[in-house]
Amino acid sequence: MTENQKEQIIESGKDFFRTIIVPNHLKNLQKLRLKDFTINPFLVNYLASFLCGNTEPESIAKALVYPRILGTSITTSFGQHTQKLVSNLVAHAGAASGIDGIDIEFIDAIDGRRKYCQCKAGPNTINYDDKATISNHFMHLQHKARVDGLPIQLNDMIVGVLYGDRSELSDHYKKIEENTCPVYCGAEFWEHVTGDRNFYHRLTKAFGEVVEEDGVDARIHLSEKIEELANEIREKGGI
């Protein structure tokens, strides 16, 4: 794969963050109100003190906002739009396949053979029923290969997991690899696609560059929201 093709993959991933993740993240931050939190008054005061060394309204607001906006909110948003990320990235990773159930076809940079790949997002993003679906798609491909005389070997049919590490693969993926086909995960998958062992790390790092490139100073938005919630806490006389 050429450097230009690799840059196209990176740019497509950055576009996903630029147009979907960042706007949704800021939107979720802006709409937060004190009533949106289920507050344990004993725990939140402890957490405020643990985080900031005191239980002032600003500290309590930080103890509420940080876990929500840096954890729950962004994880939910990312999960809701995972398929869009998959589509963005694989659009440049190989040729879209015309075979039912196969997302892309590409020439493996490691063994030089054409691979028929079903793409999944992460190491825990399939369920029990997906195993049968994946297996059925590859059985269909095997039948087509026999009928059309396609030179497809068993290891030419793969599941490509876009992010994560092999050690994180769920039992569902392990069963697929045991009974159906190889599963390439994270850096391993992207090395097979691009031939670049470091490409996965280039890709993941690039997503963090989106905020810098677009001039989004999230710290300002975060500080404003913390002050807003702190004022709500003052008006209530504390928590």
Side-chain angles (χ1 to χ4, degrees):
M1 178 174 284
T2 67
E3 186 61 28
N4 182 58
Q5 289 172 312
K6 287 187 274 187
E7 286 296 332
Q8 287 178 343
I9 295 174
I10 290 173
E11 185 55 38
S12 69
K14 290 170 73 171
D15 187 63
F16 166 77
F17 272 79
R18 187 180 295 119
T19 60
I20 295 177
I21 295 300
V22 172
N24 282 342
H25 201 189
L26 291 176
K27 179 181 177 181
N28 289 336
L29 172 63
Q30 295 295 346
K31 69 182 183 182
L32 280 180
R33 298 293 182 270
L34 196 60
K35 64 182 178 60
D36 297 322
F37 297 90
T38 301
I39 300 175
N40 180 325
F42 299 108
L43 190 57
V44 76
N45 279 279
Y46 164 77
L47 291 174
S49 184
F50 190 90
L51 177 66
C52 303
N54 61 68
T55 56
E56 294 297 317
E58 287 84 1
S59 300
I60 294 174
K62 289 177 182 178
L64 293 172
V65 171
Y66 287 169
R68 175 71 68 90
I69 207 64
L70 298 179
T72 307
S73 173
I74 187 62
T75 300
T76 301
S77 180
F78 186 85
Q80 290 173 340
H81 299 94
T82 292
Q83 192 54 47
K84 176 65 176 177
L85 173 63
V86 173
S87 298
N88 275 29
L89 294 181
V90 303
H92 301 285
S97 178
I99 301 173
D100 186 39
I102 305 301
D103 295 307
I104 58 170
E105 300 175 23
F106 66 93
I107 302 302
D108 194 315
I110 305 298
D111 64 18
R113 294 189 58 82
R114 177 172 289 276
K115 291 296 190 280
Y116 299 81
C117 179
Q118 292 191 50
C119 293
K120 304 299 178 185
N124 290 288
T125 53
I126 64 170
N127 56 41
Y128 179 84
D129 292 334
D130 290 328
K131 293 187 296 181
T133 302
I134 291 169
S135 177
N136 288 338
H137 283 147
F138 283 129
M139 287 176 62
H140 169 72
L141 176 57
Q142 287 177 299
H143 175 72
K144 180 177 177 60
R146 287 193 295 269
V147 172
D148 297 348
L150 299 174
I152 298 177
Q153 299 177 3
L154 287 177
N155 284 345
D156 294 337
M157 299 177 291
I158 69 167
V159 172
V161 183
L162 272 59
Y163 68 86
D165 186 84
R166 171 165 290 278
S167 64
E168 300 170 331
L169 287 174
S170 69
D171 288 341
H172 300 314
Y173 281 116
K174 293 175 183 178
K175 286 295 183 182
I176 289 171
E177 189 156 56
E178 181 181 331
N179 301 319
T180 305
C181 67
V183 176
Y184 297 152
C185 183
E188 179 186 27
F189 170 68
W190 289 107
E191 183 178 4
H192 279 271
V193 172
T194 67
D196 183 346
R197 181 172 296 183
N198 296 316
F199 180 78
Y200 174 67
H201 301 291
R202 287 176 56 190
L203 181 63
T204 54
K205 183 179 179 181
F207 297 157
E209 296 169 357
V210 171
V211 175
E212 300 170 14
E213 292 174 0
D214 289 8
V216 178
D217 193 341
R219 294 171 301 177
I220 294 175
H221 297 281
L222 199 55
S223 295
E224 290 175 347
K225 179 53 61 176
I226 287 170
E227 183 59 30
E228 180 184 318
L229 291 180
N231 287 334
E232 282 194 70
I233 293 170
R234 288 191 188 94
E235 290 172 3
K236 285 186 62 176
I239 291 179

